[in-house]
């Protein structure tokens, strides 16, 4: 649950900031939201995957937080099932660590 709330804090800070990392975070999340809105098949796969908690689909903010917690908690499964989303989350977080 801590990761989830931390994700909200990152999101809030990124929306209010103008540094390059914040811009990348916001722009990449916007691209991800657009992709999910335009690709019904990908969105349905994500919704039906049981990888994300149902809470993720309450709104965009919760989707972001649940995606980030899933990225941190189950990276291998996430990467295997949704490599395109996984890559965007990795880019958003500038997460270049061994095993991710």
């Amino acid at each position: 649950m801590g990761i989830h709330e931390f994700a909200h804090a990152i999101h809030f800070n990124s929306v209010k900031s103008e540094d390059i990392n914040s811009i990348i975070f916001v722009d990449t999340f916007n691209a991800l939201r657009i992709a999910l809105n335009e690709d019904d098949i990908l969105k349905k796969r994500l919704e039906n995957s049981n990888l994300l908690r149902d809470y993720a689909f309450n709104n965009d903010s919760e989707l972001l937080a649940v995606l980030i917690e899933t990225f941190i908690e189950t990276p291998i499964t996430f990467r295997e099932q949704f490599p395109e989303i996984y890559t965007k989350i990795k880019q958003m977080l500038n997460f270049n660590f061994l095993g991710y």
Side-chain angles (χ1 to χ4, degrees), residues 22 28 33 39 42 51 54 59 73 83 93:
S22 295
T28 305
R33 287 184 319 143
D39 189 339
L42 177 60
L51 185 62
D54 289 339
N59 57 55
E73 293 173 352
L93 298 174

Side-chain angles (χ1 to χ4, degrees), residues 10-66:
I10 293 170
H11 184 209
F12 179 78
N13 183 69
S14 294
V15 168
K16 302 286 183 191
S17 299
E18 295 183 14
D19 63 277
I20 188 65
N21 290 319
S22 295
I23 292 168
I24 290 169
F25 185 93
V26 171
D27 287 352
T28 305
F29 181 55
N30 287 335
L32 178 56
R33 287 184 319 143
I34 290 167
L36 288 172
N37 285 327
E38 292 178 352
D39 189 339
D40 291 334
I41 294 170
L42 177 60
K43 186 175 182 179
K44 282 293 180 201
R45 276 186 50 231
L46 188 61
E47 291 171 346
N48 295 329
S49 71
N50 294 322
L51 185 62
L52 304 182
R53 298 184 293 134
D54 289 339
Y55 192 62
F57 304 101
N58 283 356
N59 57 55
D60 287 344
S61 182
E62 295 306 332
L63 176 62
L64 173 63
V66 173

